[in-house]
Each structure stands twice: as C-alpha cells, then as structure tokens.
Amino acid sequence: EAGVAQSPRYKIIEKRQSVAFWCNPISGHATLYWYQQILGQGPKLLIQFQNNGVVDDSQLPKDRFSAERLKGVDSTLKIQPAKLEDSAVYLCASSSTSGYNEQFFGPGTRLTVL
Amino acid sequence: AQSVSQHNHHVILSEAASLELGCNYSYGGTVNLFWYVQYPGQHLQLLLKYFSGDPLVKGIKGFEAEFIKSKFSFNLRKPSVQWSDTAEYFCAVNAGGNKLVFGAGTILRVKS
C-alpha cells in the first residue's frame, strides 16, 4: 500500500513570497490533515478535511494560509505572504473513516523562510 | 483546551538500559492516547494506542505504555533499549473529532 505522498520535500523562500505544498493521501482515505511542526515542538493541526469539506480549521491563520481539497483526494496548502515564523515542517496525514481512525503521516515538507 | 506535556526533551541511555518517558495530558473526559515515533529520516509512525480496557497496552518493538486515569498519565516504557530505538517520541491525545494534540516530543539517543 502506498503511503502519504508530499511534495516538495524542501523549500526555501524569502519572506513575503508565496509557497504551496501538495499532499496525496492513502487511496480511499476520506480524512486529510495538515499539521505544522515548528522546531522543538510537536505537530499542531492546521486543518482537517473530510472528503472535500473542512471539519476543523480553528488553528489555521486564515489571513495568510489557505488549503483546499477540491475533489476529495489530494490537497494543497498555500502560504501567502510567508513570514519568518512560518519556517517549519508541514506534515500531511490521512485516515479512513472506518472504526477508529489511525492517522498515517507523510514525510513532510521542510519550509525555510529567509 | 487539551494539552499534552512530555517531561523530558532529551534522554540519553546506554544500550540495555530501561526506558520510561513521561506523558501527562489535560482533559477531563474520555480520551484516546497514542505514542508516535519518528526514526531519523523517516515518517511519524504509530507506536501504540489506548482506547479502553486494559490500561497496559503493548506496541511494536517491545514498547508498552500504561494509562493511569487518576494521574492523567500515559507513560511509555521499554525494559531494554537498543541502539535502533534512537528516535523522537511523541505522546498525543485525541479528545474528539479525531483531532490529535501532540506533546513537544522527547529525543532519545541510545549509545552503543
């Protein structure tokens, strides 16, 4: 079974630029999550999708971050404009909807904002 | 809001030493508890989980964890660590909606 795919793996941008990350979940997984992991901290949930609908985006900084999952499969997370404090690893995870939903994580995208 | 506290950020052990990593959470209701592990260069992966029943749960690679409800704790243990256990370990709680709240992580280094 293929795992969660993310790209790019690394990205370096200057502040005020924009950036986008892509995630393809495990096939058949209806729920998709984006987490932000700042160095020295645990992952923090930014947004949770169920199919193509948003379940929870309470911790998403909506003035600069946006995410979509138009066809209920892959998803993109965008930051515009980026700030220095956005430097982090952005993790995507997915889970099925049967029973308890173990979350499977992708390799992450390491973003450095200069 | 739920929160998770991990007691140590860095732990260094020699091979064959016993391991215990502390985890406390703040939430008064029913919780599901997890330990995730991230080996160097690899993805986060599930080590073990607790939903209900026996408070002592066993996971992969000889790890176990004990849920103590009265102490809001879910400590991870392994009787004898190996060099290959070098990794970062995260405790997490799911207090509803399948939303995970993670602790800050503990970096374990095992000296061979």
Side-chain angles (χ1 to χ4, degrees), chain A:
Chain A
E1 173 179 83
V4 176
Q6 290 188 247
S7 68
R9 293 294 310 277
Y10 304 91
K11 189 74 177 178
I12 300 173
I13 62 172
E14 295 192 347
K15 60 184 180 184
R16 291 188 288 273
Q17 286 186 322
S18 62
V19 64
F21 313 127
W22 175 83
C23 172
N24 192 36
I26 292 173
S27 177
H29 280 191
T31 309
L32 185 147
Y33 315 79
W34 283 101
Y35 288 86
Q36 179 193 57
Q37 185 176 11
I38 293 172
L39 187 64
Q41 300 180 20
K44 181 184 82 171
L45 181 69
L46 292 176
I47 188 167
Q48 177 181 347
F49 291 96
Q50 178 83 10
N51 296 307
N52 60 352
V54 175
V55 174
D56 186 340
D57 64 357
S58 57
Q59 297 192 97
L60 187 73
K62 299 180 187 63
D63 58 334
R64 298 183 300 105
F65 286 64
S66 64
E68 59 183 14
R69 194 184 183 200
L70 292 175
K71 297 181 180 178
V73 181
D74 57 351
S75 174
T76 55
L77 175 70
K78 296 179 182 177
I79 308 175
Q80 183 178 8
K83 292 185 175 182
L84 297 176
E85 59 261 35
D86 298 332
S87 293
V89 176
Y90 291 85
L91 297 167
C92 180
S94 69
S95 65
S96 69
T97 54
S98 58
Y100 168 66
N101 310 342
E102 176 181 342
Q103 295 185 27
F104 295 84
F105 285 82
T109 297
R110 183 176 297 277
L111 173 68
T112 302
V113 182
L114 302 176

Side-chain angles (χ1 to χ4, degrees), chain B residues 28-60:
Chain B
T30 301
V31 292
N32 302 137
L33 296 158
F34 308 85
W35 278 96
Y36 278 82
V37 60
Q38 188 165 24
Y39 297 102
Q42 296 189 25
H43 308 182
L44 264 176
Q45 57 185 283
L46 184 66
L47 197 56
L48 50 77
K49 59 193 176 192
Y50 171 80
F51 293 159
S52 64
D54 189 345
L56 185 62
V57 293
K58 297 191 183 300
I60 60 172

Side-chain angles (χ1 to χ4, degrees), chain B residues 53-68:
Chain B
D54 189 345
L56 185 62
V57 293
K58 297 191 183 300
I60 60 172
K61 302 186 180 186
F63 285 90
E64 65 180 30
E66 184 175 13
F67 170 53
I68 303 180

